Amino acid sequence: MRFEDAAKACGIVAILRGVTPGEVEGIGDALHDAGIRVVEVPLNSPEPFRSIAALAARFQGRMVVGAGTVLDVDSVDKLKSAGGEISVSPDCNPQVIGRAVELGLVPLPGVFTPTEAFTAVRAGARHLKLFPAEAASPKTVKAWKAVLPRDVNIYAVGGVTPANMKDWADAGCAGFGIGSNIYKPGMSADDVGKAAREFVAAWKNLKGN
């Protein structure tokens, strides 16, 4: 499953910050059952590459797995070795973006200004993470969409809820990264699945499904 196809099927990226290798497969099962098709494990989680490798093996062809908080080229190399497919960052680092593209991974750099957005695009990114979205607004996305290349997608990350998702989507967001509103350390797989289903239901409502 390609990231583009997964994101079209369900534009919710579940961010599992703090997840442990011992629980990650059960959490992954709950997310997949809820309809989530993209998962990232931030690299400031315990043993993140073990978790990424476990998810990549378990959900091969069924769910796209990657890393978040990717800050350097070495981490991109480790992500590739672990079987990850997307490289998500909180910042715009052309070297990290370029290395991801070189290895056949999908970079999803964090941007907050038009300058950062175009820097990311020139480095090879076609998917941008507006972060922190709660410090911006849907109007930001609408303005960016007017000037960015048409094949560039924007994902709002931070502060997105089922209640405000429509505003972001109407402005042009292709999807959303959801962290603590879906997963926080200590949550059971059942609780994660319940939270994920609420976001997936909101996504389906946007698409008229």
Side-chain angles (χ1 to χ4, degrees):
M1 176 177 282
R2 296 167 62 247
F3 171 71
E4 289 80 2
D5 296 331
K8 284 180 182 177
C10 179
I12 307 298
V13 179
I15 303 169
L16 306 183
R17 190 177 306 279
V19 76
T20 64
E23 67 178 329
V24 75
E25 291 187 36
I27 298 292
D29 286 339
L31 291 170
H32 187 270
D33 290 346
I36 298 292
R37 294 296 178 262
V38 186
V39 176
E40 69 167 89
V41 177
L43 295 186
N44 53 4
S45 304
E47 300 182 274
F49 293 108
R50 278 188 59 198
S51 292
I52 292 167
L55 288 172
R58 187 176 187 87
F59 296 100
Q60 185 175 14
R62 297 188 294 138
M63 193 155 66
V64 174
V65 179
T69 320
V70 179
L71 302 177
D72 52 57
V73 169
D74 182 57
S75 295
V76 181
D77 292 342
K78 290 178 179 176
L79 171 62
K80 176 69 173 181
S81 296
E85 298 175 75
I86 58 170
S87 174
V88 187
S89 303
D91 64 339
C92 174
N93 184 326
Q95 289 183 315
V96 170
I97 296 168
R99 184 58 173 163
V101 172
E102 184 180 345
L103 294 179
L105 304 178
V106 175
L108 228 163
V111 297
F112 195 72
T113 67
T115 297
E116 291 176 340
F118 278 102
T119 297
V121 169
R122 292 183 183 112
R126 283 299 176 269
H127 304 278
L128 307 178
K129 166 185 170 179
L130 174 59
F131 175 79
E134 65 261 55
S137 76
K139 290 181 180 179
T140 304
V141 175
K142 187 175 181 179
W144 287 12
K145 291 293 289 183
V147 294
L148 285 168
R150 290 189 176 185
D151 65 337
V152 172
N153 294 310
I154 300 172
Y155 296 77
V157 181
V160 177
T161 68
N164 66 21
M165 192 185 294
K166 186 177 187 303
D167 292 338
W168 290 101
D170 287 347
C173 278
F176 311 93
I178 310 296
S180 59
N181 284 334
I182 283 183
Y183 172 84
K184 288 191 285 268
M187 286 179 69
S188 69
D190 286 345
D191 287 341
V192 171
K194 180 180 178 182
R197 283 192 292 275
E198 292 178 0
F199 276 94
V200 172
W203 171 262
K204 288 181 177 179
N205 285 337
L206 293 178
K207 301 302 175 182
N209 295 334

